[in-house]
Amino acid sequence: MKKTFLKLGKQPLANSFLSNLTKKLLRQEFFYNLNVSFNSKNFLVSVSNPVNPKLQYTDNYAHRASESATMRNAFKQTARKLKKRFNPKIILEIGSNDGVFIKNFNRKKVIAVEPCKNLANLTKIRYKTFPNFWDKKLAYKIFKKSKKADLIFSANTISHIPNLNETFQAINYSLSEKGVLVIEDPSLFSVIKNNSYDQFYDEHVYVFSTLSISKVVEEFDLRLFHAEHIQTHGGSMRYYICKKDAIYRKSKKLISILKSERNNKLHKYITFKKFSIRVQKSKKALKKIFKKLKNKGNKIISYGATYKSTTVFNYCNIDSKLIDYVTDTTLNKQGRFTPGMHIPIISPEKGMNESVNYAFLGAWNFKKEIFRKEKILLNKGLRFISHVPWPQIIGK
Ligand code: DWN
């Protein structure tokens, strides 16, 4: 039932930023074959052979969700909206990262779960934080003797957990009878529309469609009752899920999204096969741009050491011969090297100046925020290279 449609070659773990390039570390670098498949039974699109989460969510996890103003603001607005609509008394967040969402709630109401201990340490002083993977054992430990959660929130996390059985059984146990589960994750429709194949990497085990989420949750006596498109991460979805017999009625918006996904054939293998052909062409077009600019003597860098760009660089074989360095605001990425292609990462203060002719937009999902920040250099002639929706030079 599962059929591979996309092969993105040998890839390193997207979080494995190297501290140095000694022979020992290079020998230890872990690679796997990144293949992506479609399941015609439940319409799930997933990484064919998921990596062991214990290798991924270490105490050295680099990504900080608070790093961009766009995301800080998005989580603030989401918290406000959910408080207004559901007035939750007990809120559980699965995958709380650096606390960017929970900090918008009264600390007495919040329970955070975050397996990366370096991140859990950031929130544990103020919020009840469990530094564990989300599973049934943890759900029993948290909720056996206390009231169940009336809001469970999880952004950019459920798509990261290979074992959906364990995940949703633990959620069903932890959710109160009238409780609501709200999930945010990148949208499959946007990935297909934008040719953003870089949304596939080891951590993104699933890229959900509304059709697939709707089918999956039903297996666990849960029910999708509403969905909405959101702007974050280049096009995401917010799903509202409740227990099978809860009072919430299926919204008109959900019915129309499901219909539109069917019209766009997100339940057909052929859609993904066609996508994979576009991805191969996109790779060729991007390499052509890089080579042409480099041959003319331009200085090219990359903007944002994103996990997504790990896929692009390794799939397209873009290394430090083409890119001088990557800039990133995250302190614990600076001074390191990108996974697989080993391009040095430095701060924007050091790296963003008039010597740069072109910057690959690794963080293309923050284009607006970045263009605002780099207005002066853009006015002086800096140009960006973006592979989304199609390889091209952009600026101004
Ligand atoms: O699901 C995931 C998403 C939500 O976050 C994770 N598995 C890992 C991570 O993926 P990503 O690295 O592709 O996410 P972002 O949020 O696109 O990363 C943006 C990066 O760019 C951050 O490291 C911060 C950096 N940045 C920057 O250097 N200057 C961002 C902005 C806006 C900037 O101006």
Side-chain angles (χ1 to χ4, degrees):
M1 257 164 272
K2 254 169 86 173
K3 205 168 158 191
T4 295
F5 63 87
L6 181 64
K7 293 186 176 181
L8 293 166
K10 273 211 177 321
Q11 292 279 348
L13 301 183
N15 182 53
S16 60
F17 298 94
L18 285 83
S19 56
N20 58 63
L21 298 182
T22 56
K23 276 190 185 154
K24 190 175 168 221
L25 262 193
L26 294 181
R27 255 199 318 272
Q28 286 170 353
E29 201 173 12
F30 177 89
F31 287 87
Y32 69 103
N33 278 317
L34 177 53
N35 295 338
V36 187
S37 50
F38 172 70
N39 186 331
S40 54
K41 190 176 162 225
N42 54 13
F43 312 142
L44 266 175
V45 163
S46 64
V47 168
S48 307
N49 294 305
V51 171
N52 182 348
K54 291 206 169 109
L55 295 177
Q56 301 168 308
Y57 307 105
T58 61
D59 304 343
N60 234 333
Y61 197 75
H63 178 71
R64 300 278 188 277
S66 293
E67 221 35 61
S68 89
T70 310
M71 290 314 294
R72 289 195 298 275
N73 198 34
F75 281 120
K76 192 173 171 183
Q77 299 303 330
T78 306
R80 188 176 294 164
K81 180 171 173 159
L82 296 177
K83 270 189 232 174
K84 197 170 163 203
R85 178 150 183 207
F86 302 111
N87 189 22
K89 302 284 180 295
I90 301 175
I91 301 127
L92 168 75
E93 186 179 18
I94 304 170
S96 48
N97 197 271
D98 58 4
V100 65
F101 175 73
I102 54 171
K103 74 175 187 203
N104 298 295
F105 291 87
N106 179 329
R107 58 187 289 263
K108 290 190 188 130
K109 295 183 173 183
V110 170
I111 304 163
V113 173
E114 174 49 64
C116 305
K117 293 200 179 50
N118 63 325
L119 296 174
N121 283 340
L122 298 175
T123 59
K124 76 171 187 199
I125 307 157
R126 217 175 136 62
Y127 299 93
K128 192 174 196 174
T129 304
F130 290 85
N132 304 87
F133 283 94
W134 174 248
D135 58 14
K136 284 188 278 186
K137 198 172 148 207
L138 181 65
Y140 298 154
K141 182 176 159 184
I142 301 175
F143 291 106
K144 201 160 190 183
K145 287 188 186 137
S146 75
K147 278 192 176 168
K148 301 284 174 78
D150 37 21
L151 173 66
I152 301 181
F153 182 78
S154 191
N156 303 304
T157 300
I158 303 298
S159 59
H160 293 53
I161 313 179
N163 193 339
L164 292 179
N165 285 358
E166 184 80 25
T167 304
F168 283 111
Q169 282 172 17
I171 284 174
N172 198 342
Y173 176 80
S174 309
L175 197 62
S176 71
E177 288 313 306
K178 290 181 188 165
V180 176
L181 162 68
V182 176
I183 298 176
E184 288 183 11
D185 268 309
S187 118
L188 185 62
F189 179 67
S190 297
V191 169
I192 300 299
K193 191 180 72 184
N194 293 329
N195 298 313
S196 46
Y197 60 89
D198 53 346
Q199 286 290 12
F200 294 110
Y201 51 90
D202 60 302
E203 295 185 7
H204 282 182
V205 181
Y206 302 99
V207 176
F208 297 121
S209 60
T210 314
L211 286 167
S212 65
I213 272 285
S214 165
K215 275 202 176 283
V216 166
V217 298
E218 276 174 16
E219 290 174 35
F220 305 97
D221 289 337
L222 296 166
R223 181 167 61 79
L224 179 64
F225 66 91
H226 181 55
E228 55 204 16
H229 297 279
I230 50 175
Q231 299 296 318
T232 50
H233 293 292
S236 298
M237 290 297 299
R238 185 179 294 135
Y239 302 110
Y240 294 75
I241 295 156
C242 61
K243 291 213 167 175
K244 194 176 76 185
D245 300 322
I247 47 168
Y248 302 99
R249 286 174 59 183
K250 196 173 188 175
S251 71
K252 282 188 184 149
K253 180 85 193 155
L254 172 60
I255 295 168
S256 113
I257 289 173
L258 288 168
K259 195 172 162 201
S260 145
E261 288 194 359
R262 277 196 178 264
N263 290 344
N264 282 285
K265 300 195 169 43
L266 289 192
H267 60 310
K268 300 275 185 205
Y269 177 78
I270 184 71
T271 308
F272 304 103
K273 199 64 215 162
K274 283 184 185 163
F275 165 74
S276 120
I277 293 163
R278 292 199 299 279
V279 172
Q280 290 164 45
K281 287 186 180 158
S282 170
K283 170 182 175 170
K284 278 191 190 146
L286 184 65
K287 285 230 61 170
K288 201 169 159 190
I289 292 178
F290 266 96
K291 283 192 175 152
K292 197 170 161 192
L293 294 177
K294 202 69 198 168
N295 285 342
K296 285 188 180 163
N298 287 294
K299 175 172 172 179
I300 312 176
I301 66 135
S302 186
Y303 202 106
T306 59
Y307 291 40
K308 293 184 289 293
S309 50
T310 297
T311 297
V312 179
F313 294 163
N314 286 276
Y315 175 56
C316 301
N317 200 19
I318 293 171
D319 60 12
S320 48
K321 286 190 208 100
L322 291 172
I323 289 183
D324 288 27
Y325 51 79
V326 183
T327 64
D328 199 289
T329 52
T330 317
L331 290 179
N332 58 337
K333 288 182 184 173
Q334 293 166 9
R336 293 182 176 253
F337 298 84
T338 65
M341 287 292 129
H342 311 146
I343 308 168
I345 304 168
I346 61 173
S347 70
E349 289 75 25
K350 273 195 195 154
M352 285 311 293
N353 51 54
E354 287 176 41
S355 73
V356 178
N357 304 112
Y358 292 89
F360 175 70
L361 202 49
W364 55 268
N365 42 315
F366 295 120
K367 183 178 159 216
K368 268 194 194 157
E369 183 177 339
I370 292 169
F371 271 42
R372 259 198 313 271
K373 239 185 236 179
E374 302 304 342
K375 203 171 153 193
I376 296 174
L377 288 178
L378 276 162
N379 282 336
K380 288 183 175 170
L382 169 74
R383 292 293 173 265
F384 283 89
I385 304 166
S386 181
H387 68 295
V388 174
W390 197 253
Q392 61 191 294
I393 293 166
I394 51 173
K396 284 209 162 167

